[in-house]
Amino acid sequence: MEKLRNRIIELSFSFVRNFNNPRATGIFFRSLVLLTMIKVVMLWSFSQQVMDHHDITLPKSWFGKIMLAPAFLADHNISVFNTAVVALMIFIFFFKRHYITTSIFFWLALNLYVVYLPFANGADMLLLILAFWCIPMAKHPKFKSNTGSVIQKAAYNSGLFLCQLQVVIIYFVSGWDKLVTRSWQSGQAFDYVVHFNSMFNPAFNGMFENPTIQFILSWMTIIFELAFVILVWWEQTRIPILIIGLFFHLFIWIVVSLPDFASTMMVSYILFLKDADLKYLKSFFSRQQTSLQQ
Amino acid sequence: MISKSKQFRIGFIALVIVAIHIFLSVIVFFAPEQILPHNRVVNLYRQLVLLGPFFTESRIKYSHRLAIQYKHDNVWSQPREFGKERFAAYIDQPWKVQHLAYIGYEKMLAAEIAQVTEKHTMELVLKSSSFREMNSFLTNELIKFPVDSIRILYGLDHYHLQQKSFSFDTLFMFTYNPNTVGKIKE
């Protein structure tokens, strides 16, 4: 009981002591903004084509109308919408993390989700929910009162933790489903994936046809997804599981043709880095550069 | 300077909020659907927080297939599968992700039309917004020249593990005059 009490006290203080890993969090936020911007640019012409034939329906409430006003602008003139989104994203990318910028980012992500709804997938939904948890992850304006400053840190750290939790939930939900599904247990699910039109990269035809390979890959996926849920919180296993995850998503990107989901997940890994990791990486690269120059 | 106990209280409130969020996620994920109330919170957690699962058996077992034929100068074209063409284009140029977005769009429209087809007559299907949207997209963005008739065949390719072969389940097939279908957007 005493142990639990101490743990609760320790956890409570971890929310208010400092802004946790502000550099890593900043890089994550900027990467997410950059990724969204790239997406808008890449889908510019296609979204124009779709909007020429697709109608967006107005919500009934005034709050809904105000929230989705940019989406209705897109319904009338998608070029103006896309230009405004990119311009605002550039501003958010370079401006310090302020509650206004994090809120605008969520607002734009919500409207992009509505505009992209006719062709949206899991990646768009993930981007939206990550953008939502990013709202409290701002350090500006700095609250002057002591209580305000502690509340600001608590909100910031909660946002960061909820973002991390979101990534973990995705792995848990997917891993659990695979664990209880017979075709994933037997590896046959991989056979389905290999024969899935418009998804499986034909450059890999014949490479995953062997039932033993399918069984191994199937269980590697299940074990990775469920192990990530636990191992990412432990200091000793955090970096190795993130490195495995990067390869896992590269595989999904290249073999299963899901670049947007894979890239969003890869960006979300920055959330699990600590400022000390970034410091280590920086000194590692500068050491490499020095040795190369010599 | 703020006291330690006040700091603890604020931190504890944050901890409780996070704990409630985890608790709700676990409940919504594990509890049988019959037990859960159908309210906004549950729906929100289902749709947004509990994202996935991805690659579920029901989704990877079937692939969508939409084939189009059009009649121009009284001659029917060869069947074209734009989804397949776009996927091949993406494999050739993997930075052009708009090809994958097209596949998602085609799938969404076709699935919506299939749903309408289940419940309504052909006449009503042709009037539905998803059909008008598909017709408008097809004639303006894909075929791009005047055609007398269009034939659309949509269904699911089902891969059979034992036989190592595909079977095709037709969900709808229409032959219609695109000029008689109402416009979707003025």
Side-chain angles (χ1 to χ4, degrees):
Chain A
M1 205 59 192
E2 186 65 20
K3 236 180 178 178
L4 179 71
R5 198 174 152 267
N6 288 339
R7 187 80 186 121
I8 289 172
I9 292 170
E10 193 190 317
L11 278 171
S12 301
F13 276 112
S14 73
F15 276 101
V16 292
R17 215 169 281 134
N18 288 307
F19 290 108
N20 290 338
N21 303 304
R23 282 189 64 195
T25 314
I27 293 173
F28 161 72
F29 182 69
R30 285 204 165 86
S31 307
L32 204 61
V33 173
L34 187 67
L35 187 74
T36 315
M37 203 156 49
I38 292 171
K39 201 169 179 166
V40 175
V41 172
M42 301 286 258
L43 293 174
W44 193 295
S45 63
F46 183 68
S47 60
Q48 263 174 336
Q49 280 186 340
V50 171
M51 274 303 136
D52 283 345
H53 313 282
H54 181 78
D55 251 335
I56 294 175
T57 343
L58 263 167
K60 281 177 189 152
S61 70
W62 277 106
F63 178 72
K65 280 177 186 155
I66 292 165
M67 281 300 279
L68 297 182
F72 295 106
L73 168 68
D75 199 25
H76 295 289
N77 195 331
I78 182 85
S79 300
V80 175
F81 170 79
N82 280 339
T83 311
V85 169
V86 171
L88 280 168
M89 290 287 177
I90 292 170
F91 168 75
I92 295 167
F93 184 84
F94 287 108
F95 200 74
K96 56 190 174 192
R97 253 179 313 144
H98 194 288
Y99 289 108
I100 294 174
T101 53
T102 56
S103 303
I104 292 176
F105 178 56
F106 168 69
W107 187 48
L108 293 177
L110 176 69
N111 280 279
L112 275 174
Y113 180 74
V114 173
V115 173
Y116 290 173
L117 205 57
F119 48 90
N121 59 28
D124 298 280
M125 195 86 105
L126 175 62
L127 187 73
L128 176 66
I129 190 78
L130 286 178
F132 177 72
W133 295 132
C134 278
I135 296 174
M137 276 158 59
K139 284 172 76 182
H140 300 279
K142 282 201 163 68
F143 286 29
K144 280 177 188 146
S145 74
N146 286 328
T147 313
S149 157
V150 174
I151 291 172
Q152 186 172 27
K153 281 175 195 156
Y156 180 102
N157 293 327
S158 305
L160 172 60
F161 183 71
L162 289 168
C163 256
Q164 291 172 326
L165 200 64
Q166 191 60 55
V167 178
V168 167
I169 286 174
I170 287 170
Y171 283 125
F172 179 74
V173 170
S174 272
W176 183 270
D177 177 76
K178 290 181 180 79
L179 184 71
V180 296
T181 309
R182 199 168 282 177
S183 63
W184 274 99
Q185 292 166 359
S186 64
Q188 288 174 328
F190 247 90
D191 213 11
Y192 286 132
V193 172
V194 166
H195 293 94
F196 198 95
N197 296 339
S198 333
M199 194 187 212
F200 186 75
N201 188 337
F204 297 91
N205 271 348
M207 278 177 76
F208 305 107
E209 301 277 352
N210 185 309
T212 315
I213 292 176
Q214 289 174 350
F215 179 81
I216 293 168
L217 286 174
S218 199
W219 276 99
M220 274 170 70
T221 308
I222 297 170
I223 292 168
F224 164 73
E225 290 189 332
L226 291 176
F228 187 95
V229 176
I230 298 159
L231 299 184
V232 79
W233 304 112
W234 286 355
E235 205 44 53
Q236 297 90 330
T237 49
R238 184 172 52 88
I239 297 294
I241 198 77
L242 289 176
I243 293 170
I244 295 169
L246 283 180
F247 284 107
F248 176 75
H249 286 294
L250 269 178
F251 182 88
I252 288 179
W253 184 326
I254 298 164
V255 180
V256 205
S257 314
L258 285 173
D260 48 354
F261 183 72
S263 53
T264 314
M265 288 302 283
M266 282 156 101
V267 163
S268 76
Y269 278 17
I270 303 169
L271 285 164
F272 297 96
L273 292 179
K274 298 199 167 154
D275 284 2
D277 301 328
L278 299 175
K279 224 174 180 179
Y280 173 80
L281 274 174
K282 201 177 168 189
S283 66
F284 175 80
F285 284 120
S286 59
R287 273 203 309 271
Q288 294 291 318
Q289 210 173 2
T290 322
S291 65
L292 274 174
Q293 278 165 355
Q294 284 168 353
Chain B
M1 190 64 191
I2 186 167
S3 68
K4 278 266 176 201
S5 68
K6 203 168 181 184
Q7 279 190 36
F8 168 73
R9 264 183 298 191
I10 294 169
F12 186 69
I13 291 168
L15 185 67
V16 169
I17 292 169
V18 168
I20 291 171
H21 175 67
I22 297 172
F23 177 74
L24 280 174
S25 305
V26 171
I27 293 291
V28 174
F29 182 69
F30 283 109
E33 209 162 312
Q34 307 90 286
I35 296 175
L36 285 174
H38 292 276
N39 58 30
R40 274 189 184 180
V41 179
V42 173
N43 287 340
L44 204 75
Y45 268 76
R46 272 224 184 96
Q47 285 170 13
L48 284 172
V49 179
L50 299 169
L51 281 186
F54 300 104
F55 292 97
T56 54
E57 192 182 75
S58 58
R59 289 204 182 162
I60 53 177
K61 234 177 179 171
Y62 305 97
S63 352
H64 296 246
R65 199 209 287 181
L66 183 88
I68 310 282
Q69 266 184 294
Y70 42 86
K71 200 167 156 190
H72 182 60
D73 287 341
N74 246 355
V75 182
W76 280 103
S77 70
Q78 287 295 311
R80 286 184 70 181
E81 291 180 36
F82 291 106
K84 224 176 196 176
E85 290 174 18
R86 292 291 184 114
F87 185 63
Y90 167 75
I91 294 296
D92 269 356
Q93 296 170 313
W95 58 93
K96 291 197 170 171
V97 289
Q98 66 268 35
H99 294 309
L100 296 178
Y102 167 78
I103 295 167
Y105 181 50
E106 180 190 275
K107 207 184 276 184
M108 186 279 294
L109 280 178
E112 271 182 18
I113 296 168
Q115 261 186 349
V116 181
T117 312
E118 266 179 31
K119 296 172 196 157
H120 300 286
T121 59
M122 166 84 176
E123 202 181 326
L124 284 173
V125 173
L126 294 184
K127 281 181 183 165
S128 70
S129 62
S130 22
F131 194 88
R132 282 183 291 136
E133 187 173 335
M134 179 177 267
N135 179 61
S136 177
F137 194 85
L138 269 177
T139 50
N140 292 295
E141 309 293 345
L142 300 173
I143 303 174
K144 288 181 181 171
F145 51 83
V147 290
D148 309 323
S149 301
I150 293 179
R151 185 176 291 152
I152 303 182
L153 169 70
Y154 174 68
L156 301 172
D157 264 331
H158 182 187
Y159 181 67
H160 300 279
L161 293 167
Q162 308 305 327
Q163 296 89 345
K164 301 263 170 212
S165 63
F166 287 96
S167 65
F168 183 71
D169 305 330
T170 306
L171 292 178
F172 65 77
M173 191 173 97
F174 298 122
T175 304
Y176 69 98
N177 179 351
N179 306 312
T180 59
V181 178
K183 284 190 173 152
I184 182 83
K185 214 169 179 176
E186 294 303 328

